[in-house]
Amino acid sequence: MPNNHFKKGELYSFITGKASIAIARRLQKKFNTSGLNLTIEQWSVLYHLWKEDGISQQELCNATFRDKPSITRLVDNLEKINLVKRVPSEHDRRINLIFLTKQAQKLQEETMALAENTLNEALTGVPAEKIDVCKEVLQIVYDNLK
Amino acid sequence: MPNNHFKKGELYSFITGKASIAIARRLQKKFNTSGLNLTIEQWSVLYHLWKEDGISQQELCNATFRDKPSITRLVDNLEKINLVKRVPSEHDRRINLIFLTKQAQKLQEETMALAENTLNEALTGVPAEKIDVCKEVLQIVYDNLK
DNA sequence: TTTATATAGTTGCACAAACAACTATATGCC
DNA sequence: GGCATATAGTTGTTTGTGCAACTATATAAA
């Protein structure tokens, strides 16, 4: 029994991810008006470094769901604005370990608060059970396709 | 009662829209392996023209949730590969009406089948009720933020 | 009718993503 | 040790996006 539950108009918004684009844009605006000179993509890299500092670019690829060239350039730009530093691994000279600078460590609290804020705005009026179902469905979609 | 239902790890995937990115990538691959020389973004413009041909660039902005420069360039590229044509409006000379070429009309059936296909793969194992809840939540999120 | 303002679209710039081709290092096998 | 292969990261190219500044046309107000 196939899942033919998508009328044409709905198909489009599922594929283009209108909701998550709207969330990302709202968060970007919050960054901008807070004077944070940071793109959402850069933030998404810092996000994983705040969870575990000093991981490799390859691990950042896996965590952020991006390919290697994308991470190379994001790290390039983060290095330029002094938020991370590449440190060659001593055990494997192919690997760069990426470390947060002090300046980046200071950004965690403020940006995470803005992110939680944004999600609360986005989910206003949505009951908790439905949020859980939605998270579950999106996780299955991701697992089905990866 | 705020909706603080996002543990840190989940917050990230909601903001970055991992699921819809996965869907778009899968569809792009289907286009590529079918020999369709078409990006998802270009397809998303054609999608709305198939529903209503000859709308303005501004209307395409609203429909595709993009800004004017983005549509200008997508239409540029679609014109280059001969899928659409700009026609100046006779009533308002500021406006370009965008029309599908015969070549683009032929693409509708094949690409829409691939898109439905992709969604069916993505939603394999998800019961219909949960899909409905998910669609509902994403719509509310979009409405909350737009 | 002239002037101000709003709207449609374009262009320049910086950043990001996908793909392919490339370099450098590590590992496994003979 | 020497060669094949896999892995980590970089670079070039094309396409797309967001923002600001711009041109051209239309509309409204004086």
Side-chain angles (χ1 to χ4, degrees), chain A residues 3 8 26 47 122 144-145, chain B residues 8 26 47 122-123 144-145:
Chain A
N3 275 304
K8 314 259 147 155
R26 175 64 60 98
Y47 179 97
N144 278 343
L145 297 182
Chain B
K8 314 258 147 160
R26 176 64 60 98
Y47 180 97
L123 293 166
N144 279 341
L145 297 182

Side-chain angles (χ1 to χ4, degrees), chain A residues 26-114:
Chain A
R26 175 64 60 98
L27 179 56
Q28 180 71 67
K29 264 188 194 155
K30 282 185 201 293
F31 284 178
N32 296 344
T33 57
S34 302
L36 295 170
N37 216 11
L38 195 65
T39 67
I40 296 300
E41 294 82 4
Q42 291 166 351
W43 173 81
S44 80
V45 171
L46 298 182
Y47 179 97
H48 291 284
L49 293 173
W50 286 322
K51 289 201 292 185
E52 188 181 355
D53 199 13
I55 61 180
S56 70
Q57 293 189 200
Q58 183 56 55
E59 287 170 308
L60 281 173
C61 291
N62 303 336
T64 65
F65 197 39
R66 289 182 170 85
D67 68 356
K68 286 195 276 201
S70 296
I71 290 297
T72 293
R73 275 139 187 165
L74 282 174
V75 172
D76 284 349
N77 286 336
L78 284 167
E79 247 185 344
K80 265 186 222 157
I81 57 178
N82 243 313
L83 292 179
V84 305
K85 226 175 68 177
R86 282 180 169 93
V87 178
S89 163
E90 296 181 355
H91 302 80
D92 186 334
R93 296 197 302 169
R94 292 171 302 181
I95 294 178
N96 289 333
L97 302 177
I98 311 301
F99 287 93
L100 294 162
T101 63
K102 279 180 190 167
Q103 201 182 334
Q105 285 159 15
K106 287 182 206 153
L107 289 177
Q108 178 171 11
E109 200 178 337
E110 182 176 6
T111 59
M112 292 298 286
L114 292 175

Side-chain angles (χ1 to χ4, degrees), chain A residues 2-27 40 43-45 47-48 51 63-67 112 115-116 118-142 144-146, chain B residues 2-27 40 43-45 47-48 51 63-67 112 115-116 118-142 144-146:
Chain A
N3 275 304
N4 284 314
H5 295 290
F6 282 85
K7 303 188 193 72
K8 314 259 147 155
E10 297 161 345
L11 183 148
Y12 174 79
S13 33
F14 236 76
I15 288 180
T16 56
K18 269 173 30 171
S20 50
I21 292 174
I23 293 174
R25 284 186 192 165
R26 175 64 60 98
L27 179 56
I40 296 300
W43 173 81
S44 80
V45 171
Y47 179 97
H48 291 284
K51 289 201 292 185
T64 65
F65 197 39
R66 289 182 170 85
D67 68 356
M112 292 298 286
E116 282 171 36
T118 302
L119 273 181
N120 287 337
E121 286 177 35
L123 293 165
T124 298
V126 183
E129 326 78 82
K130 292 194 177 179
I131 296 177
D132 289 335
V133 171
C134 190
K135 288 194 288 191
E136 185 195 342
V137 171
L138 295 179
Q139 183 62 47
I140 295 175
V141 165
Y142 179 66
N144 278 343
L145 297 182
K146 83 179 168 201
Chain B
N3 275 304
N4 284 314
H5 296 290
F6 282 84
K7 302 187 194 73
K8 314 258 147 160
E10 297 161 344
L11 183 149
Y12 175 79
S13 36
F14 236 75
I15 289 180
T16 55
K18 270 173 30 171
S20 49
I21 291 173
I23 293 174
R25 286 186 190 165
R26 176 64 60 98
L27 179 55
I40 296 301
W43 173 81
S44 80
V45 171
Y47 180 97
H48 291 284
K51 289 201 294 186
T64 65
F65 196 39
R66 289 181 170 84
D67 67 355
M112 292 298 286
E116 282 171 34
T118 303
L119 274 180
N120 287 337
E121 286 176 37
L123 293 166
T124 298
V126 184
E129 325 79 81
K130 293 194 176 179
I131 296 178
D132 288 335
V133 171
C134 189
K135 287 193 290 192
E136 184 195 342
V137 171
L138 295 179
Q139 183 62 46
I140 295 175
V141 165
Y142 178 67
N144 279 341
L145 297 182
K146 82 179 168 197

